[in-house]
Amino acid sequence: MRSQLLSAHPVRTALGASIVAGVALWFSRGAMDVVGGVETGARVAMLPSWPELAGLVVLLLVICVAGALKRPHARSGVVAERTLSWDSTRADALRPLYALALLLVPYLPWLPDRVPAVRILAGPGRWWLWAVAIGQVIWILASRIGWKFQLDRRIASFAIFGVSLAVYASTWAQVSQTGFFPGGDEPHYLVITQSLLRDHDFKIENNHERGDYAEYFPSRLRPDYRARGRNGEIYSIHPVGLPILAAPAYALGGYRAVVWFLMGVAATTDALLWLWTLTLTGSGAAATFAWAA
């Protein structure tokens, strides 16, 4: 039986994906912090040892290569050769692992200083990227090998909601410990909510004078307004729609309840987006990709 020549394409794909995944896992096991301020401080990274890097790369090499190899099946009356061959389908399914190279971006010399948002890939965002990459590998394998799924839209949409809520909650658990939240316009919206609940109006001057914001904001907070109204009262420049929606949650559990309410709204939006994309395209893969993106 003539042996089949190995294609260099699946070899490069499997080896490259395993090396990228191994290095990405090494960075994922590290930690980064900013010393001296978010915008002007210096980044300090604490990474595992070099032997661990080598071990992780070898481990991922073994896993990816083992997944990309296949044994030839013996046909009736023919003895199969005891050799391994590359499965192009399985090797190509490893391509999403190349996206894990993005986990190296927060450790580059100057880009994370110019674009601080990329630092999230050194925090909770790294596990989100891992989940998306591995999920895509599984999905590609399922579609190309021929696995059949009986997709229940209701169960799948609840799963999308649960995963989204878990991601938002884990991210909030991380950033809430930094001392920067609530920040920006967030406390001003919460003051409007307090005024609505306690005074049944949108006049915020007395709420600031009483220091109602001390329940969630440790520093002094000045009213955010441009000019007093015709009646001499101070009204916030921020829209009142969100405070009205958040009022029941704040009445039940304060600031934390409002955060959970907003995360629930965001997770519900994700589930509805997934359902809408599935209905529009008829493809579960397209809907899942749109949700993950």
Side-chain angles (χ1 to χ4, degrees), residues 86-100:
W86 292 97
D87 189 325
S88 298
T89 299
R90 296 180 181 179
D92 288 342
L94 299 175
R95 289 182 180 274
L97 296 181
Y98 282 97
L100 297 174

Side-chain angles (χ1 to χ4, degrees), residues 57-80:
V57 171
V58 171
L59 175 63
L60 269 297
L61 273 171
V62 172
I63 294 175
C64 292
V65 170
L69 289 175
K70 67 176 181 179
R71 287 184 176 274
H73 298 285
R75 294 176 297 179
S76 58
V78 180
V79 179

Side-chain angles (χ1 to χ4, degrees), residues 9-276:
H9 175 71
V11 175
R12 292 198 306 266
T13 301
L15 295 182
S18 60
I19 293 174
V20 171
V23 175
L25 183 57
W26 184 71
F27 277 98
S28 298
R29 289 177 53 80
M32 175 184 288
D33 201 356
V34 179
V35 179
V38 177
E39 297 182 356
T40 60
R43 288 174 291 130
V44 178
M46 295 172 287
L47 298 172
S49 63
W50 293 109
E52 184 171 344
L53 170 61
L56 291 174
V57 171
V58 171
L59 175 63
L60 269 297
L61 273 171
V62 172
I63 294 175
C64 292
V65 170
L69 289 175
K70 67 176 181 179
R71 287 184 176 274
H73 298 285
R75 294 176 297 179
S76 58
V78 180
V79 179
E81 296 181 358
R82 295 184 177 274
T83 58
L84 296 174
S85 60
W86 292 97
D87 189 325
S88 298
T89 299
R90 296 180 181 179
D92 288 342
L94 299 175
R95 289 182 180 274
L97 296 181
Y98 282 97
L100 297 174
L102 292 173
L103 296 177
L104 280 64
V105 173
Y107 301 91
L108 294 178
W110 60 271
L111 180 60
D113 299 322
R114 300 289 183 88
V115 188
V118 302
R119 299 175 190 171
I120 193 174
L121 294 175
R126 56 187 167 180
W127 307 120
W128 174 244
L129 184 59
W130 271 101
V132 171
I134 294 176
Q136 289 183 336
V137 170
I138 296 174
W139 194 277
I140 293 174
L141 282 174
S143 60
R144 294 189 178 182
I145 294 178
W147 296 349
K148 301 297 183 181
F149 293 98
Q150 189 67 29
L151 185 63
D152 188 307
R153 294 191 176 192
R154 180 177 300 179
I155 296 177
S157 60
F158 275 110
I160 293 293
F161 172 84
V163 172
S164 299
L165 185 61
V167 171
Y168 296 143
S170 62
T171 303
W172 180 61
Q174 295 288 333
V175 301
S176 62
Q177 306 299 324
T178 62
F180 295 105
F181 297 92
D185 294 335
E186 192 176 2
H188 296 288
Y189 282 102
L190 292 171
V191 169
I192 300 174
T193 302
Q194 290 175 310
S195 179
L196 179 62
L197 289 172
R198 298 173 183 178
D199 304 326
H200 308 292
D201 59 32
F202 297 110
K203 306 171 186 178
I204 62 173
E205 185 174 15
N206 60 331
N207 302 96
H208 282 271
E209 291 177 350
R210 290 197 304 258
D212 292 348
Y213 53 82
E215 298 177 4
Y216 45 81
F217 195 75
S219 304
R220 184 179 179 183
L221 185 67
R222 297 180 179 275
D224 197 4
Y225 73 105
R226 292 183 179 177
R228 290 182 178 270
R230 294 181 179 179
N231 58 356
E233 299 289 347
I234 293 179
Y235 298 90
S236 177
I237 63 173
H238 301 284
V240 300
L242 181 57
I244 292 175
L245 293 175
Y250 194 93
L252 290 174
Y255 169 61
R256 289 182 176 273
V258 172
V259 174
W260 278 102
F261 165 72
L262 294 177
M263 290 191 297
V265 171
T268 301
T269 303
D270 290 340
L272 292 175
L273 171 65
W274 185 87
L275 282 173
W276 178 79

